Amino acid sequence: MDFSFTTPNLAAYEQHLIAMGTKNARAAGRKALRQGTNVVLAESRALVSAGHPKFPAKVTGLMARSLYTHDRGIMGDTILFSVDLKGLAFYGRFVEFGTSRSRAYPFMRPAAENTAQEAVGVMAATLAVEIQGYWGSFG
């Protein structure tokens, strides 16, 4: 599931990232986004593991283990990451969004909404470390 939000407080890092060059800035951005996405991943796993009224723990455990962060690449100036389900847990989409015969029991959307600010904080902290590490290596 893709989830996006704006992060105006991260604009302060823009000049530093531009000065680092495209390759280094993208590497720092990817690392920061993966760390932020991992926050959402952990919350998604916790929510799905908490149980579902129609599925036994064995099934929700499989869904939790099947969640992973996915680097979707770069489109222009945008680095894309998402939390996805793999393999046998394809039915997680039906749990998340519901079907014509079953109501939705979302776990991905609430995870993204509940952890958005924490994820931004983790991304900002990671970017700060990456920027300091880059410029520290030139000091």
Side-chain angles (χ1 to χ4, degrees):
M1 173 183 177
D2 297 331
F3 182 77
S4 67
F5 48 90
T6 58
T7 55
N9 55 334
L10 294 179
Y13 296 115
E14 185 176 16
Q15 293 303 317
H16 295 292
L17 291 168
I18 290 170
M20 288 169 61
T22 303
K23 181 180 175 184
N24 295 316
R26 283 184 175 175
R30 275 195 153 120
K31 186 171 184 177
L33 282 171
R34 180 163 309 273
Q35 295 302 316
T37 306
N38 284 340
V39 172
V40 178
L41 173 65
E43 179 71 4
S44 298
R45 285 182 174 157
L47 289 176
V48 78
S49 294
H52 183 284
K54 293 186 177 184
F55 295 128
K58 179 180 178 181
V59 173
T60 56
L62 174 64
M63 283 196 318
R65 288 188 306 277
S66 296
L67 288 165
Y68 70 105
T69 57
H70 182 192
D71 182 346
R72 295 193 169 276
I74 298 174
M75 295 174 115
D77 291 338
T78 305
I79 301 170
L80 304 167
F81 273 81
S82 65
V83 176
D84 292 321
L85 284 161
K86 63 181 171 185
L88 297 174
F90 69 91
Y91 53 83
R93 291 173 180 81
F94 306 127
V95 174
E96 175 74 18
F97 298 109
T99 67
S100 62
R101 296 180 182 212
S102 177
R103 78 176 196 86
Y105 292 95
F107 58 94
M108 299 282 274
R109 285 175 288 174
E113 292 166 359
N114 295 344
T115 60
Q117 291 305 313
E118 182 183 355
V120 169
V122 167
M123 291 183 327
T126 305
L127 272 178
V129 168
E130 292 298 304
I131 289 169
Q132 289 172 352
Y134 177 81
W135 292 111
S137 66
F138 287 102

